[in-house]
Amino acid sequence: MKIAVAKGDGIGPEIMDAVLSIFNAAKVPLEYEVVEMGKWVFDKGYSNGMTPDAQKTIEQLGILFKGPMETPKGKGVKSVNVTARKTWNTYANNRTFQTLHGVDTVFSKAGIPIDITIVRENIEDTYGGVEHMLTYDVALSRRFITRPGSAQVIKYAFEMARKKGARRITCGHKANIMKLTDGLFLEVFYEIAKEYPELKADDVIVDDLCMKLVTRPDLFDVVVLTNLQGDIVSDLCAGLIGGLGFAPSANIGDHICIFEAVHGTAPDIAGKNIANPTALLLSGLSLLRHLGLMEIAAMIENALLYTLELGIHTGDFGDRNTTSLGTTDFANAIINHFGTSPKIGAKPLIPNQPMTNTVFHLDNNPMLENKSGTDEQIMGVDMFIESNEQPTVIADKCLRHAGVKFKLLNISNRGTQVWPTGSVYTNLVNQFESLDGLPLNQQDVIGLYVSLSGNYKICSLELLNMWGDKRAYSLAQGQ
Ligand code: NAD
């Protein structure tokens, strides 16, 4: 079987060569096709950081093993790492954080074991990067949370938790504030939980989750989160087990999967043969297990754990009083320990499973489940206007445009109501949201837009829909 390999930038080639040397010594039955991705590909003029040939190869082979890649600064290009995850719909980012004996942390010293898997939604949320300057002073980012997108990642998390033999699966969220976006994610979590009665499913607000993770990490098992919150919480978890050098990552999709370390290109130590290859090796082991190569993955992992247990280390961790090894020597130490097992936490030699096919062909973009809201009715519109006037002045002008179809219900600023009631202590920036409401159609809204544009620049607008008796929009603070 063949997989695509992109060595990456900075320390990427050094740690990838080290990991592939371990795989080759272990006679991993894989062939590697090296593809062109990374900073130097941006520099050649490919704005997505990969050549068309690289894209074609990865889409044919279905598995990409990649080193870290640098995003050029200030050239208006987007991260190749994020582009790859989004383009190929790798909707679930799986990051497993385990106590590694030989890697000292406050928890290992206190005898508190850690074995947490963070599943982060990988495509949606503010990572769509859909952002606009509404006015010179006001930037707006759109946060997309969709029902089918949430279902894909949450379903994956439950399946993975079941396979892992987890006791508990927790949804981290901020649905107390973001009632529609995080609220939808949480709703889907509990819908899917019904299919897994053997798992204890619960939820925790993300700030409380962070506090609990740093005080009692042993209480958590599998945690599923939206993209940005998952990004932050997973780095926090990397800190619990000794840092980014030990944090593997698998980006899972239905057709293409990407395995990589969590850390970046470490430009400060690149080219010195001192980088720690453990995180990339652990990512490679999850790749082997994903393909069904259980035995060889356990053999290599036991050799790694034994090596760490002996106190062998690269310069970024371990006992400062013992000499650290360079990247290549560290990899050779692991190879020399093939066939050994650590005293604590040895991985069982599970028989191989049938190799997963990694060659895919699709003719059309898959359309995810698409339920439209039943009994949908436009009840109003939020118009985001640019103005430096006081709320009462804006209200007077807007009321002139309301006509018979519209009623001015509310003016808010940055989500806080300032008219018809509010407080003079609410600071204003030059952008207002106004809200009007009666059963309407889109032509009515266009009519209001044209009329109001006589007085104001309308920076953005949102329809306010009712689905039956359910409001499909949030209210302003204080409304
Ligand atoms: P970084 O992870 O590269 O480095 C942070 C610190 O950790 C540095 O001190 C570095 O020396 C150290 N470090 C990281 N990996 C190490 C390893 N394997 N062994 C020993 N020490 C290690 O983060 P950064 O400096 O913020 O980012 C550098 C570049 O990497 C940026 O261009 C960023 O966009 C990119 N990046 C890429 C990925 C990815 O490819 N998935 C992820 C994060 C950052």
Side-chain angles (χ1 to χ4, degrees), residues 435-456:
L435 178 156
D436 307 85
L438 279 177
L440 302 165
N441 57 40
Q442 292 193 76
Q443 280 72 28
D444 298 328
V445 174
I446 292 167
L448 179 65
Y449 187 102
V450 171
S451 169
L452 196 60
S453 63
N455 275 106
Y456 294 111

PDB file of all heavy atoms in Angstrom, residues 435-456:
ATOM      1  N   LEU A 435     -33.493  46.117  14.309  1.00  0.00           N
ATOM      2  CA  LEU A 435     -34.283  44.911  14.154  1.00  0.00           C
ATOM      3  C   LEU A 435     -35.740  45.301  13.939  1.00  0.00           C
ATOM      4  O   LEU A 435     -36.278  46.102  14.701  1.00  0.00           O
ATOM      5  CB  LEU A 435     -34.100  44.097  15.441  1.00  0.00           C
ATOM      6  CG  LEU A 435     -34.797  42.788  15.671  1.00  0.00           C
ATOM      7  CD1 LEU A 435     -33.985  42.010  16.673  1.00  0.00           C
ATOM      8  CD2 LEU A 435     -36.187  42.985  16.198  1.00  0.00           C
ATOM      9  N   ASP A 436     -36.329  44.786  12.919  1.00  0.00           N
ATOM     10  CA  ASP A 436     -37.711  45.132  12.612  1.00  0.00           C
ATOM     11  C   ASP A 436     -38.511  43.846  12.486  1.00  0.00           C
ATOM     12  O   ASP A 436     -37.980  42.862  12.009  1.00  0.00           O
ATOM     13  CB  ASP A 436     -37.799  45.894  11.290  1.00  0.00           C
ATOM     14  CG  ASP A 436     -36.857  47.085  11.278  1.00  0.00           C
ATOM     15  OD1 ASP A 436     -35.681  46.881  10.940  1.00  0.00           O
ATOM     16  OD2 ASP A 436     -37.294  48.165  11.626  1.00  0.00           O
ATOM     17  N   GLY A 437     -39.763  43.831  12.838  1.00  0.00           N
ATOM     18  CA  GLY A 437     -40.414  42.524  12.786  1.00  0.00           C
ATOM     19  C   GLY A 437     -41.896  42.459  12.528  1.00  0.00           C
ATOM     20  O   GLY A 437     -42.685  42.986  13.283  1.00  0.00           O
ATOM     21  N   LEU A 438     -42.246  41.798  11.435  1.00  0.00           N
ATOM     22  CA  LEU A 438     -43.601  41.411  11.040  1.00  0.00           C
ATOM     23  C   LEU A 438     -43.413  40.334   9.979  1.00  0.00           C
ATOM     24  O   LEU A 438     -42.330  40.265   9.389  1.00  0.00           O
ATOM     25  CB  LEU A 438     -44.347  42.593  10.387  1.00  0.00           C
ATOM     26  CG  LEU A 438     -44.988  43.640  11.287  1.00  0.00           C
ATOM     27  CD1 LEU A 438     -45.596  44.731  10.412  1.00  0.00           C
ATOM     28  CD2 LEU A 438     -46.067  43.045  12.182  1.00  0.00           C
ATOM     29  N   PRO A 439     -44.406  39.484   9.665  1.00  0.00           N
ATOM     30  CA  PRO A 439     -44.187  38.525   8.572  1.00  0.00           C
ATOM     31  C   PRO A 439     -43.848  39.260   7.277  1.00  0.00           C
ATOM     32  O   PRO A 439     -44.521  40.199   6.880  1.00  0.00           O
ATOM     33  CB  PRO A 439     -45.525  37.795   8.464  1.00  0.00           C
ATOM     34  CG  PRO A 439     -46.136  37.935   9.807  1.00  0.00           C
ATOM     35  CD  PRO A 439     -45.699  39.269  10.320  1.00  0.00           C
ATOM     36  N   LEU A 440     -42.741  38.832   6.646  1.00  0.00           N
ATOM     37  CA  LEU A 440     -42.201  39.575   5.500  1.00  0.00           C
ATOM     38  C   LEU A 440     -41.785  38.628   4.406  1.00  0.00           C
ATOM     39  O   LEU A 440     -41.708  37.422   4.619  1.00  0.00           O
ATOM     40  CB  LEU A 440     -40.917  40.314   5.941  1.00  0.00           C
ATOM     41  CG  LEU A 440     -41.010  41.286   7.090  1.00  0.00           C
ATOM     42  CD1 LEU A 440     -39.609  41.601   7.584  1.00  0.00           C
ATOM     43  CD2 LEU A 440     -41.695  42.559   6.637  1.00  0.00           C
ATOM     44  N   ASN A 441     -41.454  39.189   3.234  1.00  0.00           N
ATOM     45  CA  ASN A 441     -40.752  38.391   2.234  1.00  0.00           C
ATOM     46  C   ASN A 441     -39.471  39.140   1.839  1.00  0.00           C
ATOM     47  O   ASN A 441     -39.227  40.263   2.297  1.00  0.00           O
ATOM     48  CB  ASN A 441     -41.641  38.090   1.022  1.00  0.00           C
ATOM     49  CG  ASN A 441     -42.160  39.357   0.376  1.00  0.00           C
ATOM     50  OD1 ASN A 441     -41.419  40.338   0.267  1.00  0.00           O
ATOM     51  ND2 ASN A 441     -43.413  39.350  -0.048  1.00  0.00           N
ATOM     52  N   GLN A 442     -38.649  38.496   0.983  1.00  0.00           N
ATOM     53  CA  GLN A 442     -37.339  39.094   0.685  1.00  0.00           C
ATOM     54  C   GLN A 442     -37.476  40.429  -0.042  1.00  0.00           C
ATOM     55  O   GLN A 442     -36.652  41.329   0.138  1.00  0.00           O
ATOM     56  CB  GLN A 442     -36.502  38.122  -0.145  1.00  0.00           C
ATOM     57  CG  GLN A 442     -36.095  36.900   0.666  1.00  0.00           C
ATOM     58  CD  GLN A 442     -35.021  36.116  -0.039  1.00  0.00           C
ATOM     59  OE1 GLN A 442     -33.867  36.514  -0.051  1.00  0.00           O
ATOM     60  NE2 GLN A 442     -35.414  35.004  -0.635  1.00  0.00           N
ATOM     61  N   GLN A 443     -38.540  40.583  -0.877  1.00  0.00           N
ATOM     62  CA  GLN A 443     -38.722  41.860  -1.586  1.00  0.00           C
ATOM     63  C   GLN A 443     -38.962  42.996  -0.589  1.00  0.00           C
ATOM     64  O   GLN A 443     -38.493  44.124  -0.771  1.00  0.00           O
ATOM     65  CB  GLN A 443     -39.927  41.783  -2.556  1.00  0.00           C
ATOM     66  CG  GLN A 443     -39.628  41.094  -3.873  1.00  0.00           C
ATOM     67  CD  GLN A 443     -39.448  39.589  -3.702  1.00  0.00           C
ATOM     68  OE1 GLN A 443     -40.008  38.981  -2.795  1.00  0.00           O
ATOM     69  NE2 GLN A 443     -38.653  38.993  -4.570  1.00  0.00           N
ATOM     70  N   ASP A 444     -39.731  42.697   0.506  1.00  0.00           N
ATOM     71  CA  ASP A 444     -39.955  43.721   1.537  1.00  0.00           C
ATOM     72  C   ASP A 444     -38.617  44.190   2.104  1.00  0.00           C
ATOM     73  O   ASP A 444     -38.393  45.384   2.338  1.00  0.00           O
ATOM     74  CB  ASP A 444     -40.790  43.155   2.701  1.00  0.00           C
ATOM     75  CG  ASP A 444     -42.174  42.712   2.264  1.00  0.00           C
ATOM     76  OD1 ASP A 444     -42.715  43.324   1.331  1.00  0.00           O
ATOM     77  OD2 ASP A 444     -42.693  41.747   2.865  1.00  0.00           O
ATOM     78  N   VAL A 445     -37.734  43.218   2.324  1.00  0.00           N
ATOM     79  CA  VAL A 445     -36.432  43.526   2.925  1.00  0.00           C
ATOM     80  C   VAL A 445     -35.615  44.390   1.971  1.00  0.00           C
ATOM     81  O   VAL A 445     -34.977  45.376   2.382  1.00  0.00           O
ATOM     82  CB  VAL A 445     -35.689  42.218   3.282  1.00  0.00           C
ATOM     83  CG1 VAL A 445     -34.283  42.523   3.767  1.00  0.00           C
ATOM     84  CG2 VAL A 445     -36.459  41.441   4.341  1.00  0.00           C
ATOM     85  N   ILE A 446     -35.663  44.032   0.671  1.00  0.00           N
ATOM     86  CA  ILE A 446     -34.921  44.828  -0.325  1.00  0.00           C
ATOM     87  C   ILE A 446     -35.477  46.255  -0.364  1.00  0.00           C
ATOM     88  O   ILE A 446     -34.734  47.238  -0.423  1.00  0.00           O
ATOM     89  CB  ILE A 446     -34.984  44.158  -1.711  1.00  0.00           C
ATOM     90  CG1 ILE A 446     -34.192  42.855  -1.670  1.00  0.00           C
ATOM     91  CG2 ILE A 446     -34.430  45.082  -2.804  1.00  0.00           C
ATOM     92  CD1 ILE A 446     -34.425  41.945  -2.856  1.00  0.00           C
ATOM     93  N   GLY A 447     -36.796  46.359  -0.254  1.00  0.00           N
ATOM     94  CA  GLY A 447     -37.431  47.687  -0.238  1.00  0.00           C
ATOM     95  C   GLY A 447     -36.898  48.521   0.917  1.00  0.00           C
ATOM     96  O   GLY A 447     -36.545  49.698   0.759  1.00  0.00           O
ATOM     97  N   LEU A 448     -36.809  47.908   2.107  1.00  0.00           N
ATOM     98  CA  LEU A 448     -36.301  48.634   3.269  1.00  0.00           C
ATOM     99  C   LEU A 448     -34.835  49.006   3.057  1.00  0.00           C
ATOM    100  O   LEU A 448     -34.396  50.110   3.410  1.00  0.00           O
ATOM    101  CB  LEU A 448     -36.455  47.781   4.533  1.00  0.00           C
ATOM    102  CG  LEU A 448     -35.933  48.421   5.823  1.00  0.00           C
ATOM    103  CD1 LEU A 448     -36.754  49.667   6.194  1.00  0.00           C
ATOM    104  CD2 LEU A 448     -35.941  47.443   6.999  1.00  0.00           C
ATOM    105  N   TYR A 449     -34.073  48.064   2.467  1.00  0.00           N
ATOM    106  CA  TYR A 449     -32.642  48.301   2.221  1.00  0.00           C
ATOM    107  C   TYR A 449     -32.470  49.547   1.348  1.00  0.00           C
ATOM    108  O   TYR A 449     -31.692  50.458   1.662  1.00  0.00           O
ATOM    109  CB  TYR A 449     -32.034  47.070   1.535  1.00  0.00           C
ATOM    110  CG  TYR A 449     -30.538  47.130   1.371  1.00  0.00           C
ATOM    111  CD1 TYR A 449     -29.697  46.423   2.232  1.00  0.00           C
ATOM    112  CD2 TYR A 449     -29.947  47.885   0.361  1.00  0.00           C
ATOM    113  CE1 TYR A 449     -28.318  46.478   2.093  1.00  0.00           C
ATOM    114  CE2 TYR A 449     -28.575  47.954   0.217  1.00  0.00           C
ATOM    115  CZ  TYR A 449     -27.763  47.245   1.082  1.00  0.00           C
ATOM    116  OH  TYR A 449     -26.400  47.301   0.955  1.00  0.00           O
ATOM    117  N   VAL A 450     -33.250  49.586   0.252  1.00  0.00           N
ATOM    118  CA  VAL A 450     -33.133  50.713  -0.691  1.00  0.00           C
ATOM    119  C   VAL A 450     -33.500  52.015   0.015  1.00  0.00           C
ATOM    120  O   VAL A 450     -32.789  53.023  -0.069  1.00  0.00           O
ATOM    121  CB  VAL A 450     -34.041  50.475  -1.931  1.00  0.00           C
ATOM    122  CG1 VAL A 450     -34.103  51.715  -2.808  1.00  0.00           C
ATOM    123  CG2 VAL A 450     -33.561  49.264  -2.722  1.00  0.00           C
ATOM    124  N   SER A 451     -34.610  51.967   0.777  1.00  0.00           N
ATOM    125  CA  SER A 451     -35.073  53.181   1.444  1.00  0.00           C
ATOM    126  C   SER A 451     -34.053  53.663   2.489  1.00  0.00           C
ATOM    127  O   SER A 451     -33.628  54.819   2.490  1.00  0.00           O
ATOM    128  CB  SER A 451     -36.433  52.865   2.082  1.00  0.00           C
ATOM    129  OG  SER A 451     -36.821  53.888   2.933  1.00  0.00           O
ATOM    130  N   LEU A 452     -33.608  52.732   3.350  1.00  0.00           N
ATOM    131  CA  LEU A 452     -32.698  53.107   4.439  1.00  0.00           C
ATOM    132  C   LEU A 452     -31.323  53.543   3.918  1.00  0.00           C
ATOM    133  O   LEU A 452     -30.648  54.372   4.542  1.00  0.00           O
ATOM    134  CB  LEU A 452     -32.550  51.913   5.392  1.00  0.00           C
ATOM    135  CG  LEU A 452     -31.973  52.158   6.779  1.00  0.00           C
ATOM    136  CD1 LEU A 452     -32.835  53.146   7.569  1.00  0.00           C
ATOM    137  CD2 LEU A 452     -31.853  50.852   7.563  1.00  0.00           C
ATOM    138  N   SER A 453     -30.945  53.004   2.753  1.00  0.00           N
ATOM    139  CA  SER A 453     -29.628  53.358   2.213  1.00  0.00           C
ATOM    140  C   SER A 453     -29.571  54.833   1.821  1.00  0.00           C
ATOM    141  O   SER A 453     -28.492  55.385   1.613  1.00  0.00           O
ATOM    142  CB  SER A 453     -29.260  52.471   1.022  1.00  0.00           C
ATOM    143  OG  SER A 453     -30.179  52.693  -0.021  1.00  0.00           O
ATOM    144  N   GLY A 454     -30.764  55.501   1.747  1.00  0.00           N
ATOM    145  CA  GLY A 454     -30.791  56.952   1.533  1.00  0.00           C
ATOM    146  C   GLY A 454     -30.161  57.683   2.710  1.00  0.00           C
ATOM    147  O   GLY A 454     -29.609  58.772   2.558  1.00  0.00           O
ATOM    148  N   ASN A 455     -30.259  57.101   3.910  1.00  0.00           N
ATOM    149  CA  ASN A 455     -29.691  57.747   5.104  1.00  0.00           C
ATOM    150  C   ASN A 455     -28.383  57.145   5.584  1.00  0.00           C
ATOM    151  O   ASN A 455     -27.548  57.843   6.170  1.00  0.00           O
ATOM    152  CB  ASN A 455     -30.675  57.642   6.274  1.00  0.00           C
ATOM    153  CG  ASN A 455     -31.689  58.734   6.264  1.00  0.00           C
ATOM    154  OD1 ASN A 455     -32.838  58.482   5.921  1.00  0.00           O
ATOM    155  ND2 ASN A 455     -31.284  59.957   6.595  1.00  0.00           N
ATOM    156  N   TYR A 456     -28.242  55.826   5.397  1.00  0.00           N
ATOM    157  CA  TYR A 456     -27.090  55.156   6.008  1.00  0.00           C
ATOM    158  C   TYR A 456     -26.406  54.204   5.046  1.00  0.00           C
ATOM    159  O   TYR A 456     -27.051  53.625   4.170  1.00  0.00           O
ATOM    160  CB  TYR A 456     -27.552  54.317   7.221  1.00  0.00           C
ATOM    161  CG  TYR A 456     -28.074  55.143   8.349  1.00  0.00           C
ATOM    162  CD1 TYR A 456     -29.431  55.114   8.679  1.00  0.00           C
ATOM    163  CD2 TYR A 456     -27.218  55.955   9.087  1.00  0.00           C
ATOM    164  CE1 TYR A 456     -29.923  55.864   9.737  1.00  0.00           C
ATOM    165  CE2 TYR A 456     -27.706  56.719  10.141  1.00  0.00           C
ATOM    166  CZ  TYR A 456     -29.062  56.669  10.460  1.00  0.00           C
ATOM    167  OH  TYR A 456     -29.525  57.424  11.485  1.00  0.00           O
TER     168      TYR A 456
END
